[in-house]
Amino acid sequence: MGNKATAASTTEQALKKPDVAILIPCYNEEVTIGKVVSDFRRVLPDATVYVFDNNSTDRTAQIAREKGAVVVKEPRQGKGHVVRAMFTQVDADIYVMVDGDDTYPAEAAVDMVSKVAEGYDMVVGDRLSSTYFEENKRPFHNTGNRMVRAFINWFFHAHVHDIMTGYRAFSYSFAKTYPCLSRGFEIETEMTIYALDKDVRIFEMPIQYRDRPEGSESKLNTVGDGIKVLGTIFSMIRQYKPMPFFNVLGLILALIGVIMLVPVFATYTETGLVPRFPTLFVAMILILLACLLVIAGIILDSHARRDRRDYIIHENMFAHRHRDGE
């Protein structure tokens, strides 16, 4: 009887139309937010549109409310804080996250929702395979996107085309198990690295990106946000890939130590004396530190493996609870 009830519940869940939430993080987007809300309500009329207002000083919240969106205030400044609030406060079967600057086509959301319904955990709106480099008028952003993409794909043996896109769709289990740690615009990079490390089901969908309309200003700071993104990459690689990270550091220290040790050893073999004892001392310390780094990498790698195992357990638990309607 228990198996039949479970099967019936699963069938009923599969036939039920998924509850879709459109999540729009916003800060001073009065020029574009009205069109964005209207577009998504038009292409996904059954979805609920949420605008999370991050301390806007213009009419962003008022316009969004007039267009039919549910407006939620998030007082902690920064896109990362907003994403954490969205995933915590909104319950839905499928989430679509999009920026409020009208650079992403709402029409693509229909296919993105379908892909999540098929079983993908994260659907990525890939700008870089279509019109991004032609539409984006900020050359340093283009260069930064290429560099970040190349490095992350190399380190994680992946083939993700767009690391930092703000247009994504998520399953319920991913949204509820993703630990959002970043505070600002580096959140997309963190999200991609997390998904690659946990080996979740990712689907990339090329979209037609368009630059901001006239009168709409970007909140990105090329240098400042670029440094934050690089810091996020450095921190997450150390956390998720500790073995190669600490092995590389150990190898560098070991090479420096060996280079310093060679002339000291050569002098000793010729004369039987060690005239440069401080050099010998420093070289041995560097080699010892290299060994400690390798050991630390081994220990932390076991913790990273356990973290991946725990993620699968939590993901299965959330998926099971969601199917049962808890």
Side-chain angles (χ1 to χ4, degrees), residues 304-322:
R305 290 176 180 272
R306 184 178 64 184
D307 184 55
R308 295 186 193 100
R309 181 200 65 191
D310 291 343
Y311 169 79
I312 294 173
I313 294 173
H314 290 141
E315 182 188 36
N316 292 339
M317 178 186 69
F318 272 94
H320 177 72
R321 291 175 58 184
H322 187 55

Side-chain angles (χ1 to χ4, degrees), residues 5 21 31 65 87 92 121 141 143 147 153-154 161 170 175 178 196 206 211 215 233 242 248 267 289 293 320-321:
V31 175
R65 197 175 289 109
F87 286 170
D121 296 297
H141 287 195
T143 302
M147 290 176 59
N153 281 331
W154 170 75
H161 293 92
F170 310 96
Y178 168 61
L196 291 174
D211 204 9
I233 293 173
V248 168
T267 302
L289 286 175
L293 285 173
H320 177 72
R321 291 175 58 184

Side-chain angles (χ1 to χ4, degrees), residues 47-65:
T48 304
V49 179
Y50 296 87
V51 171
F52 277 71
D53 181 41
N54 198 201
N55 302 314
S56 294
T57 56
D58 60 8
R59 298 174 58 248
T60 295
Q62 178 185 340
I63 294 172
R65 197 175 289 109

Side-chain angles (χ1 to χ4, degrees), residues 30-242:
E30 67 175 4
V31 175
T32 55
I33 188 59
K35 182 177 182 300
V36 173
V37 172
S38 296
D39 286 350
F40 277 89
R41 293 193 69 199
R42 171 175 52 81
V43 300
L44 290 171
D46 295 327
T48 304
V49 179
Y50 296 87
V51 171
F52 277 71
D53 181 41
N54 198 201
N55 302 314
S56 294
T57 56
D58 60 8
R59 298 174 58 248
T60 295
Q62 178 185 340
I63 294 172
R65 197 175 289 109
E66 291 173 354
K67 293 295 183 178
V70 177
V71 177
V72 181
K73 296 286 186 180
E74 173 47 54
R76 297 169 297 179
Q77 196 66 40
K79 188 174 182 179
H81 288 310
V82 178
V83 172
R84 188 197 310 179
M86 291 191 302
F87 286 170
T88 301
Q89 298 179 35
V90 177
D91 290 328
D93 299 317
I94 298 172
Y95 301 81
V96 177
M97 184 179 77
V98 64
D99 294 335
D101 55 9
D102 193 30
T103 57
Y104 300 106
E107 290 74 16
V110 177
D111 291 332
M112 296 173 77
V113 167
S114 296
K115 286 298 178 183
V116 176
E118 289 176 14
Y120 287 96
D121 296 297
M122 182 168 70
V123 179
V124 177
D126 173 18
R127 310 160 298 168
L128 305 191
S129 296
S130 59
T131 56
Y132 181 81
F133 294 116
E134 291 77 22
E135 288 286 328
N136 194 316
K137 306 303 189 295
R138 299 175 290 275
F140 288 111
H141 287 195
N142 296 343
T143 302
N145 266 291
R146 288 189 177 101
M147 290 176 59
V148 169
R149 177 179 63 182
F151 180 77
I152 291 179
N153 281 331
W154 170 75
F155 209 92
F156 285 88
H157 306 289
H159 301 284
V160 179
H161 293 92
D162 197 346
I163 304 293
M164 297 187 283
T165 178
Y167 198 11
R168 301 168 188 251
F170 310 96
S171 65
Y172 173 86
S173 59
F174 182 88
K176 294 303 182 182
T177 55
Y178 168 61
C180 182
L181 302 176
S182 295
R183 299 181 179 182
F185 284 100
E186 65 273 21
I187 179 65
E188 286 94 355
T189 304
E190 177 195 274
M191 193 176 290
T192 302
I193 294 176
Y194 180 83
L196 291 174
D197 177 72
K198 298 301 181 285
D199 197 26
V200 305
R201 292 158 293 193
I202 302 175
F203 183 87
E204 283 197 282
M205 180 180 296
I207 60 168
Q208 299 298 309
Y209 175 87
R210 53 182 178 255
D211 204 9
R212 282 175 171 268
E214 187 176 351
S216 175
E217 296 182 3
S218 173
K219 315 305 183 301
L220 291 174
N221 181 294
T222 301
V223 177
D225 289 318
I227 292 174
K228 290 179 182 178
V229 168
L230 293 177
T232 298
I233 293 173
F234 182 85
S235 176
M236 297 194 74
I237 286 177
R238 181 187 63 196
Q239 178 182 353
Y240 294 142
K241 295 287 187 179

